[in-house]
């Protein structure tokens, strides 16, 4: 079974020094930690450096530019020395029993490669999943973004079924739309418990396990110090947002017109259906190939 020293927590930090300190305070010191700071400056940088001084067991990496969330996660995966990594942000507060929850799930379902302890706010990944799926797509650079939707759709693309999600209240789906997906939605529990399902969501209605850090305020709220506003990331300039890029990579599909039975039609976690337009990029092929040799004894290239 995985030990605390065998999973690295990767925390992305950006202008939230006090929240970062609370996040670090909630983690057991036996667990390797990498903090990637996305070029915080001024007084907030002083707070980040103060957190580093009070947590000398953590490895701090100070980026000279804001590379965005998913590139920071990719870099954290690469810098880590363990097979498992846990990806999160500086406003995640861990429950004391987070590791017990993680290992209990893994003991029950040893085939898992992704364990979402709190949806995409706190994701444990085995590096096998990088071989299987590729890297987080670094083209989802600027807030507001949909890197979580992209990752989930790529998971569904491999599984050939959608094991998580439903119809959220904030999207006004027509009755006929929901009826067209009833069969798929009715199979969610079956899909969730399939032995070939390599992903797990504590947020699922079918999970008996608690959601870790349920009260954490992850995201881009203006008051969270994330330096986002209604126009998106403050440093975006004329660059497109992650949401805009998502609609270039994936096409929104109406299941009343195109059957969900087609392998090319993917049911997302929020009830919307998508079809791929653009291919994924392999941002670090040599490292991914190294993982392929280590975990599967194969060469990708």
């Amino acid at each position: 079974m995985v030990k605390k020293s065998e999973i690295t927590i990767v925390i992305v930090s950006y202008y939230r020094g006090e929240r970062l300190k609370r996040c670090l305070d909630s983690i057991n010191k036996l667990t390797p930690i990498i903090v990637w700071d996305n070029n915080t400056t001024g007084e907030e940088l002083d707070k980040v450096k103060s957190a580093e001084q009070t947590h000398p067991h953590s490895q701090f990496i100070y980026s000279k530019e804001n590379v965005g969330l998913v590139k920071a996660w990719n870099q954290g995966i690469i810098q880590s020395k363990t097979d498992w990594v846990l990806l999160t942000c500086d406003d995640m507060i861990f429950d004391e029993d987070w590791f017990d929850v993680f290992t209990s799930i893994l003991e029950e379902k040893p085939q898992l490669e992704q364990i979402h302890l709190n949806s995409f706010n706190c994701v444990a990944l085995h590096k096998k999943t990088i071989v299987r799926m590729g890297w987080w797509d670094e083209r989802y650079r600027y807030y507001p973004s949909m890197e979580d939707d992209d990752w989930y759709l790529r998971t569904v693309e491999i599984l050939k079924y959608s094991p998580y999600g439903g119809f959220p209240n904030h999207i006004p789906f027509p009755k006929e739309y929901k009826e067209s997906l009833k069969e798929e939605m009715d199979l969610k529990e079956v899909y969730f418990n399939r032995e070939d399902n390599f992903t797990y969501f504590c947020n699922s209605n079918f999970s008996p396990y608690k959601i870790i850090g349920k009260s954490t305020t992850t995201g881009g709220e203006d008051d969270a110090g994330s330096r986002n506003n209604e126009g998106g990331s403050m440093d975006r300039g004329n660059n497109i947002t992650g949401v805009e890029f998502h609609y270039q990579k994936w096409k929104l599909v109406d299941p009343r017109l195109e059957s969900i039975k087609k392998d090319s039609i993917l049911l997302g976690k929020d009830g919307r259906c998508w079809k791929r337009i653009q291919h994924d990029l392999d941002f670090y092929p040599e490292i991914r190939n190294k993982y392929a040799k280590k975990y599967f004894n194969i060469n990708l290239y």
Side-chain angles (χ1 to χ4, degrees), residues 266-281:
L266 308 175
L267 176 58
K269 58 186 174 64
D270 61 0
R272 292 184 290 178
C273 296
W274 303 85
K275 180 188 292 186
R276 179 184 285 278
I277 300 174
Q278 291 191 31
H279 293 295
D280 293 312
L281 301 180

Side-chain angles (χ1 to χ4, degrees), residues 78-94:
I78 292 168
Q79 295 294 329
S80 67
K81 296 179 175 61
T82 55
D83 294 335
W84 280 94
V85 293
L86 192 154
L87 308 176
T88 190
C89 293
D90 49 14
D91 56 354
M92 179 71 190
I93 306 301
F94 287 81

Side-chain angles (χ1 to χ4, degrees), residues 203-264:
N203 307 69
S204 170
N205 293 333
F206 312 117
S207 169
Y209 295 97
K210 66 186 291 186
I211 300 169
I212 300 302
K214 190 173 182 178
S215 62
T216 193
T217 52
T218 334
E221 304 88 347
D222 292 342
D223 66 347
S226 53
R227 297 173 70 82
N228 297 318
N229 54 36
E230 292 181 359
S233 304
M234 291 176 63
D235 62 346
R236 180 167 69 91
N238 294 322
N239 296 298
I240 63 172
T241 67
V243 171
E244 291 169 323
F245 172 70
H246 189 76
Y247 282 89
Q248 294 179 3
K249 183 176 181 180
W250 301 92
K251 177 185 176 183
L252 201 58
V253 174
D254 190 332
R256 293 169 293 182
L257 304 177
E258 295 193 59
S259 173
I260 191 71
K261 296 297 183 183
K262 296 180 182 177
D263 287 344
S264 61

